[in-house]
Amino acid sequence: MASSSSVVSSSSSSSDKGSGRILLFDPFQSLVDEGFWHRLSSLKLDSLGLDQSPVPLTGFYAPCSHPKVSNRLTLLAESLPSDFKELQFSLERAHGNRNRCPVPGTLYNMNTFESFKALDRDSLLKKEAKKILDDIHSGKVEEDSAVLSRFFIISFADLKKWNFVHWLAFPALVVGPPAMVLNLRPAREVFNQGEAQSLSAALNEWRNSSLTTGVLYFLVSIASNSRATIRQLKDWNACQDDGQKLLFGFYDPSCRLDNPGWPLRNYLAFISLRCQDGKIQFLCYREKRGFADLGLSLVGEAVISSSKDCRDPQCVPKAVGWEPKPKSINLAESMNPERLAVSAADLNLKLMRWRTLPSLDLGTLSSVRCLLLGAGTLGCQVARMLMAWGVRKITLLDSGLVAMSNPVRQSLYTLDDCLDGGSLKAVAAARTLKLIFPAVEAEGVTLSIPMPGHPVPTNEVARVLEDCERLRDLIASHDVTFLLTDTRESRWLPALLCASENKIAITAALGFDSYLVMRHGAGPLYVSDQTNSLSTVDGNGGQRLGCYFCGDVVAPIDSTSNRTLDQQCTVTRPGLAPIASALAVELLVGLLHHPNGIHAPGEIANSIMSSSEQPFGILPHQIRGLLPQYSQVTLIGHASNSCTACSTTVVSEFRRRGMEFILHAIDHPTYLEDLTGLTELIASANSFKLDWDDETDDADI
């Protein structure tokens, strides 16, 4: 760039006569919006994890627009990349406007407060200042003057307490002796009327153009005819005509009349290194109500120079620019408690995804709809486990009332729920879930599940049919059904409906000191679109996994009548329900992450074909545990052609006859045995005789 130009002639004020005084600058101030910290939290949890690599960001500031209030550099939510893809592949600055001029910056976010305190701030400041000096030497500043206002921020985000500590720096190069100001006055006192009018018009046009409104540094040339022209820095050579008055203009965020704003520091370094040493004039551009204000704007005359060392591109410059002290902000109190609860609940899951399970699909977990049949010991535990895994849509179904014996074993009830005859279990459980976690979409449904072996009186037929229809609608509208009731026969209708709807079904059942947790296989599928037959073949071509009833050789019958007190209550070791409930939910999470979903094959612990490539390990079909031996085994059972719940015969008959079939099965349990061939199988087994040879050959002893 050339190095000679005329400057505006003006007389110095009495205080600035002679050799002048050291030019002082009004320090930059920052303002970090709450949205910035929310975006950083999401970015760290969803993308960055423990990565402490520098993150590009964009700050915003504009010319001062108030005589008593300086503008600040502002960080907003859009200052940060929105996601990992944008972080990796897009380093472009966020778009601004006339009130938000974009400035490039860098974020250094530390994982611990100790590492935040241990940062070498002097080295970081020099590193960022070197970037500015390199941009000056390379000519990048002429193309993108905003790099002169480059800034950076160091931070520590405590996402458990929502406390954020940060410290900003605005690196300012020290390239030579301090600049000496000879004159600093309001712009209206420097220009004649013609120059002032032309300059105001040119500045307003510059600010109103979408192409130049965000250009922070510019050149002002005033011809001998008082006509003012605004140009970008790359047009320096066009300003070299003899007789032109030249000023170096910039958007000044400061409101002070005795000092220019901080951005002028690096601008003077640029001018000294790329344009000229010696006496120069600068324009601190400020506004009022969106228009150029020459009464608030300043024109200054200064003498600048740079050292020989700083003209060397390899030079590591001295720099200043840290804000006086770090700042801390806590957003917990200002945040909605429900939003805080959601963030805290998701935190553990996102940390899991950082460290061990990058494929953990939190979106699937939060959107899956779970229906829990039974709101007793198992139902309460399963609901809690589901919420811990991030499941947000839970429906509980039960027909009972909360009894005095329930709260100590069933974690969603308190003594208050037992008073006045007891609250409805499903409703009370859903209410407690919302108290625990307000963001959960919990619903309680009071409904009795019709059961085989429990004949329906004539006056109850309409109600039972209505219950059957409602249960079918609930299962159809949910993605997963947990069978958590305390009798075998109460699981039959849900197992049949899940098989017919091809919905995921998971059963948990307890003995006194044993438990069973299993996932039902897929329901019978149509072999092809052209046929109307069902099959025992799975959708992937293999044999279907069985349901809870596939191992039975008798139909479910009434198991609740004529029982003693110990048989009327679920008598089981207290530790079994949490174990079985946790396994049931873990089984679901593994199934939701398996590429084959409900058609995933069953695996056992010593299987050579175990899903070692699956993030959650093997995916069992059945898990049976014995507490006395503290043992657990995984088993596989395939679908039975004689199953009273999921066989092709039963599902076909249900689809053909509908609720008439259900009523028939409820009133006549042996009907299911006759339909599936179990009656014939039992008769055949009873007729089979073994002939024992009672003679013993002494030679064989």
Side-chain angles (χ1 to χ4, degrees):
M1 299 177 76
S3 59
S4 63
S5 174
S6 299
V7 296
V8 178
S9 59
S10 60
S11 59
S12 301
S13 63
S14 59
S15 61
D16 292 328
K17 289 180 179 180
S19 60
R21 58 181 173 85
I22 294 178
L23 181 59
L24 301 179
F25 306 89
D26 188 18
F28 229 148
Q29 300 179 54
S30 64
L31 177 64
V32 185
D33 185 76
E34 288 186 9
F36 177 86
W37 300 118
H38 289 300
R39 175 71 66 84
L40 175 60
S41 301
S42 299
L43 191 65
K44 182 169 178 60
L45 290 172
D46 298 333
S47 303
L48 293 175
L50 298 176
D51 188 355
Q52 296 186 151
S53 301
V55 176
L57 69 157
T58 304
F60 303 96
Y61 83 88
C64 172
S65 56
H66 192 283
K68 295 184 179 181
V69 181
S70 296
N71 272 339
R72 301 183 180 192
L73 183 128
T74 305
L75 297 181
L76 307 170
E78 54 265 42
S79 295
L80 282 165
S82 60
D83 53 34
F84 183 70
K85 182 178 180 181
E86 184 180 341
L87 176 63
Q88 278 196 317
F89 302 110
S90 178
L91 298 181
E92 295 184 3
R93 292 196 293 276
H95 294 295
N97 53 51
R98 63 174 293 120
N99 297 314
R100 288 184 357 192
C101 304
V103 179
T106 305
L107 168 69
Y108 296 90
N109 186 63
M110 301 293 103
N111 288 322
T112 66
F113 185 59
E114 288 70 23
S115 58
F116 170 83
K117 293 190 296 182
L119 277 173
D120 187 340
R121 296 192 298 112
D122 288 339
S123 295
L124 271 179
L125 189 63
K126 290 181 179 180
K127 175 183 175 182
E128 294 295 324
K130 182 67 166 66
K131 294 179 183 178
I132 298 174
L133 185 61
D134 290 343
D135 289 339
I136 291 175
H137 285 306
S138 68
K140 183 177 180 180
V141 171
E142 283 101 283
E143 301 296 329
D144 181 13
S145 64
V147 296
L148 283 175
S149 293
R150 186 188 301 274
F151 69 98
F152 68 97
I153 176 174
I154 60 175
S155 65
F156 165 63
D158 184 345
L159 301 187
K160 296 187 76 173
K161 298 179 180 179
W162 282 90
N163 192 62
F164 302 88
V165 182
H166 60 285
W167 205 339
L168 263 81
F170 305 94
L173 300 172
V174 179
V175 297
M180 304 300 294
V181 61
L182 305 177
N183 190 295
L184 184 64
R185 291 188 294 168
R188 67 184 175 189
E189 298 179 10
V190 175
F191 302 107
N192 60 43
Q193 183 177 3
E195 291 173 337
Q197 290 178 348
S198 178
L199 178 59
S200 294
L203 288 169
N204 290 332
E205 182 181 357
W206 176 270
R207 287 284 285 152
N208 289 330
S209 170
S210 60
L211 298 178
T212 56
T213 188
V215 179
L216 303 174
Y217 300 89
F218 51 91
L219 301 172
V220 178
S221 61
I222 301 178
S224 57
N225 61 359
S226 299
R227 185 171 183 270
T229 304
I230 312 297
R231 292 186 172 92
Q232 299 200 38
L233 298 185
K234 61 183 179 180
D235 297 326
W236 161 261
N237 289 329
C239 300
Q240 300 306 300
D241 295 340
D242 291 339
Q244 281 195 338
K245 303 172 183 179
L246 177 65
L247 297 93
F248 293 90
F250 73 101
Y251 293 171
D252 190 354
S254 174
C255 68
R256 296 186 60 169
L257 294 176
D258 53 348
N259 296 111
W262 194 259
L264 180 59
R265 290 198 65 142
N266 286 336
Y267 198 15
L268 294 180
F270 163 78
I271 296 169
S272 177
L273 292 171
R274 293 287 290 179
C275 301
Q276 65 182 67
D277 278 339
K279 186 183 296 185
I280 61 101
Q281 281 205 305
F282 55 86
L283 169 68
C284 305
Y285 174 73
R286 301 168 182 177
E287 295 180 334
K288 182 178 182 180
R289 297 177 182 174
F291 295 96
D293 184 353
L294 297 189
L296 187 58
S297 299
L298 302 177
V299 170
E301 187 175 11
V303 177
I304 60 172
S305 62
S306 57
S307 66
K308 183 178 179 181
D309 291 341
C310 289
R311 296 184 180 276
D312 181 359
Q314 303 304 317
C315 169
V316 177
K318 296 179 181 179
V320 295
W322 283 103
E323 287 192 316
K325 59 183 179 180
K327 300 176 182 178
S328 178
I329 180 173
N330 188 286
L331 300 184
E333 293 183 0
S334 64
M335 290 180 66
N336 180 284
E338 182 173 326
R339 185 173 179 181
L340 269 177
V342 172
S343 299
D346 288 343
L347 178 61
N348 183 60
L349 295 172
K350 293 184 177 182
L351 293 178
M352 288 169 55
R353 189 167 60 184
W354 285 9
R355 293 178 175 271
T356 311
L357 297 170
S359 60
L360 181 61
D361 189 346
L362 299 182
T364 295
L365 290 171
S366 65
S367 62
V368 68
R369 296 161 296 181
C370 293
L371 174 63
L372 280 55
L373 304 183
T377 308
L378 286 169
C380 291
Q381 293 289 347
V382 167
R384 297 293 297 264
M385 291 295 109
L386 287 172
M387 285 203 306
W389 266 111
V391 174
R392 298 291 180 257
K393 297 176 174 61
I394 301 173
T395 302
L396 299 106
L397 183 149
D398 203 295
S399 62
L401 302 173
V402 182
M404 286 291 183
S405 61
N406 293 157
V408 294
R409 296 179 296 113
Q410 300 173 9
S411 60
L412 296 181
Y413 308 120
T414 66
L415 180 62
D416 289 343
D417 296 316
C418 308
L419 304 179
D420 300 323
S423 302
L424 293 169
K425 270 193 165 183
V427 175
R431 181 173 61 243
T432 302
L433 287 180
K434 292 180 180 179
L435 289 175
I436 295 170
F437 185 59
V440 70
E441 298 177 27
E443 180 184 3
V445 176
T446 302
L447 185 144
S448 296
I449 300 176
M451 300 176 285
H454 297 253
V456 181
T458 303
N459 62 339
E460 292 288 324
V461 169
R463 180 190 62 78
V464 170
L465 287 176
E466 182 181 346
D467 288 346
C468 290
E469 292 283 3
R470 191 176 183 194
L471 181 61
R472 179 168 65 177
D473 292 342
L474 284 169
I475 288 176
S477 63
H478 287 74
D479 304 304
V480 182
T481 299
F482 284 89
L483 281 60
L484 309 170
T485 54
D486 52 7
T487 63
R488 293 181 63 82
E489 62 266 33
S490 61
R491 300 187 184 103
W492 174 77
L493 182 55
L496 167 60
L497 295 174
C498 286
S500 178
E501 298 287 343
N502 199 37
K503 294 285 188 174
I504 295 174
I506 295 178
T507 288
L510 304 178
F512 169 68
D513 54 11
S514 62
Y515 59 84
L516 164 68
V517 177
M518 67 177 296
R519 58 184 173 99
H520 295 206
L525 300 174
Y526 288 105
V527 176
S528 69
D529 294 336
Q530 287 73 38
T531 63
N532 195 32
S533 61
L534 301 174
S535 171
T536 57
V537 176
D538 186 78
N540 291 330
Q543 190 173 1
R544 289 193 299 115
L545 296 177
C547 77
Y548 179 72
F549 294 94
C550 280
D552 291 354
V553 293
V554 294
I557 59 174
D558 183 3
S559 64
T560 61
S561 300
N562 194 30
R563 295 198 299 179
T564 61
L565 179 61
D566 64 305
Q567 294 171 331
Q568 294 174 31
C569 301
T570 304
V571 179
T572 182
R573 292 174 65 165
L576 283 183
I579 295 172
S581 301
L583 289 173
V585 175
E586 293 292 328
L587 200 57
L588 170 64
V589 173
L591 190 62
L592 292 176
H593 285 80
H594 196 285
N596 295 332
I598 194 173
H599 303 289
E603 298 167 323
I604 56 178
N606 61 351
S607 173
I608 297 176
M609 300 300 291
S610 64
S611 301
S612 58
E613 74 279 2
Q614 296 302 324
F616 295 90
I618 69 166
L619 191 60
H621 174 224
Q622 301 179 27
I623 307 168
R624 294 180 181 266
L626 290 170
L627 204 54
Q629 288 80 39
Y630 290 90
S631 63
Q632 181 175 286
V633 295
T634 53
L635 303 171
I636 297 176
H638 291 113
S640 168
N641 290 328
S642 301
C643 178
T644 58
C646 78
S647 66
T648 299
T649 304
V650 172
V651 175
S652 297
E653 193 68 6
F654 166 66
R655 291 183 178 179
R656 185 177 71 85
R657 296 175 57 195
M659 292 304 159
E660 178 191 355
F661 166 78
I662 300 298
L663 281 178
H664 197 171
I666 290 173
D667 290 337
H668 306 90
T670 58
Y671 165 65
L672 292 173
E673 296 176 358
D674 297 338
L675 178 66
T676 58
L678 285 177
T679 302
E680 182 180 348
L681 178 64
I682 294 171
S684 175
N686 289 337
S687 66
F688 185 69
K689 296 181 180 179
L690 292 176
D691 294 327
W692 295 94
D693 185 359
D694 294 330
E695 297 181 5
T696 303
D697 190 340
D698 293 341
D700 295 332
I701 297 177

